[in-house]
Every structure is written in C-alpha cells, then in structure tokens.
C-alpha cells in the first residue's frame, strides 16, 4: 500500500502572516520614528515616553480598525461574488458547466476531457468547483476581518513596545541613537523572520525594510530637530 504524500504549502500562511508582518513593522517604525522625532526636539524624558505610549495605543487601534474595514470590504466582495455564483448555478447550470469546461480547456485539457472533468467536479460540489476555479477563492485566501484586525493590533503593540522600552531605559541624551539602532536591528530581524516564514530569501526583504526604516527615522529626526529649534 502506497503511503500518502502530504504537503504543507507556505501560501496557507498568507492571511495571518501578512497582517502580522505589517503590524509589527509598522509598530516598530512608527513608534521609533515618533520617539526619535520628539527626542530630537526635546530631551525631556517624560515627553518622549508620553509620545511613545500615545503612539502605541493610537497606532494599535488604528491598525485594528484599518485592517478590519479593509478586509471586511474584501469579504463583502467575496460574499457578493459567491451569492451571484450560487444564483447562476441554480438558474443556468448548463451555462455554468460550459464555463467551467472552458476554464479547464484553457489550462491545457482537450475539449472532451475538459467537459468530462467539469461534469465530475460539478457532480461532486458544483459551488466549490466554481468558487475555486472561476473566482479563485479557497480557504487560505478568503478574507478574515477579525483575524486580520486582532493580529495587526497585537503585533503592532509588540513592535511598538521595543522602542518604548529602550527609550525608558536609555539616558535621555542618547535616546535618538539608541532607539534608532534598536529599530533598525528589530526591522532586520522582522524582515528575516517574515521572509523565512514565507519561504523566501531573507536578504532582499530585510534590506528593503531596513532601508525604508532608516529613511523614516532620519526624516522624523530632522523634522523634530528643526521644530525644536524653531520653538
């Protein structure tokens, strides 16, 4: 008896992985940039910490709300497409059969074989066959608003907590540099983890996220310094 060959594909992680990486990176970059900008304007440690805490809370709520609204819109579109497909299957089954056969034929099957495959797939589960092969909807790509919102909020908070802790422990006059260095190291680690978890090479994603993190930090530091001098 042949042993079953079971495969686990990395694309199955795409839903939560995207939200987690986005949340953690955003939390780390935005909170670090906020702290660096305030620290460049004033050495007062309590003002820096207040800004950091406010950035963490506001950012986490914003990420949760933004992800929920965005992914909910995607889910609404998916539901509308699926409802339309169910209606068409109920009212135009022959046309839907021909449509599915045409899809298989375009993928390389002969016309007769494509028709046979379409008939067998629709006999088993017509809606699932059309959802997958016509609409491109499968379980691992379906929108999950609550999961995306929760994952983004939690990972944003975790990412934002790192520069906040460093700002709390570091001497006020070194806050700008210590938070910046910590942020860049954290971004490199997150970039490598995200790439490895997704099965990709770690170097290009890591370099990309570190570069844009450095741009964000430098920009806010310059603005904070100029505003601090002006005020």
């Amino acid at each position: 008896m042949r042993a079953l060959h079971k495969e686990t594909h990395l694309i199955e992680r795409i839903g939560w992985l995207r939200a987690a990486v986005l949340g953690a990176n955003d939390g780390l970059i935005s909170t670090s940039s906020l702290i660096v900008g305030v620290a460049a304007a004033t050495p007062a440690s309590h003002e820096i910490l207040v800004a950091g805490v406010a950035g963490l809370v506001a950012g986490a709520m914003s990420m949760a709300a933004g992800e929920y609204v965005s992914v909910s819109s995607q889910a609404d579109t998916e539901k509308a497409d699926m409802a339309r497909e169910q209606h068409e299957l109920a009212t135009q089954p022959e046309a839907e059969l021909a449509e599915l056969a045409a899809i298989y034929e375009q993928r390389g099957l002969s016309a007769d074989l494509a028709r046979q495959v379409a008939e067998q797939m629709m006999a088993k589960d017509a809606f699932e066959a059309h959802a997958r092969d016509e609409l491109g909807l499968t379980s691992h790509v379906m929108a999950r608003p609550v999961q995306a919102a929760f994952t983004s909020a939690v990972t944003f908070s975790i990412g934002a907590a790192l520069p906040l802790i460093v700002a709390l422990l570091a001497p006020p006059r070194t806050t700008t540099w210590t938070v910046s260095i910590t942020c860049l190291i954290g971004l490199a680690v997150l970039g490598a983890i995200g790439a490895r978890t997704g099965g990709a090479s770690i170097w290009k994603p890591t370099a990309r996220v570190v570069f844009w993190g450095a741009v964000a930090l430098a920009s806010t530091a310059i603005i904070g310094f100029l505003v601090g001098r002006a005020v």
Side-chain angles (χ1 to χ4, degrees), residues 12 18 25 69 74 100 161 176 203 212 214 225 231:
E12 295 173 0
R18 182 194 66 85
N25 281 344
V69 171
Q74 178 185 341
L100 192 61
T176 298
W203 300 113
W212 287 110
F225 175 77
V231 174

Side-chain angles (χ1 to χ4, degrees), residues 15 18 31 40 49-50 57 70 74 86 111 131-133 139 167 196 207 211 216:
R18 182 194 66 85
T31 307
L49 294 177
V50 168
V57 176
S70 175
Q74 178 185 341
Q86 286 179 321
R132 180 184 62 248
D133 296 321
S139 59
R196 181 61 65 188
F211 171 78

Side-chain angles (χ1 to χ4, degrees), residues 8 16 28-29 58 61 63-64 79 94-95 107 117 121 126 153 168 183 200 210 217 219-220 225:
T8 300
W16 64 264
L28 185 54
I29 292 175
M61 294 301 100
M63 284 291 294
K79 289 176 182 177
E94 189 59 34
R107 293 179 181 176
V117 172
M121 296 298 291
L168 179 64
C183 176
V210 169
L217 290 166
S219 300
T220 53
F225 175 77

Side-chain angles (χ1 to χ4, degrees), residues 12-158:
E12 295 173 0
R13 306 171 180 172
I14 193 65
W16 64 264
L17 178 60
R18 182 194 66 85
V21 171
L22 176 63
N25 281 344
D26 197 15
L28 185 54
I29 292 175
S30 61
T31 307
S32 294
S33 297
L34 180 60
I35 291 173
V36 166
V38 175
T42 174
S45 59
H46 68 281
E47 294 181 12
I48 295 171
L49 294 177
V50 168
V53 172
L56 186 156
V57 176
M61 294 301 100
S62 176
M63 284 291 294
E67 279 291 296
Y68 184 81
V69 171
S70 175
V71 180
S72 290
S73 297
Q74 178 185 341
D76 291 341
T77 301
E78 292 172 354
K79 289 176 182 177
D81 280 343
M82 290 189 292
R84 187 180 302 112
E85 197 63 33
Q86 286 179 321
H87 176 72
E88 291 174 352
L89 285 169
T91 58
Q92 308 171 51
E94 189 59 34
E96 289 298 299
L97 174 61
E99 186 176 29
L100 192 61
I103 292 173
Y104 295 146
E105 189 173 350
Q106 290 174 358
R107 293 179 181 176
L109 299 183
S110 65
D112 290 340
L113 182 56
R115 177 81 180 190
Q116 294 176 25
V117 172
E119 289 175 346
Q120 292 185 30
M121 296 298 291
M122 289 188 67
K124 180 181 180 182
D125 191 330
F127 177 69
E128 181 184 359
H130 280 270
R132 180 184 62 248
D133 296 321
E134 182 182 347
L135 302 179
L137 297 177
T138 56
S139 59
H140 59 267
V141 298
M142 293 286 286
R144 295 180 176 85
V146 175
Q147 180 193 67
F150 178 79
T151 301
S152 295
V154 170
T155 53
F156 182 99
S157 299
I158 293 173

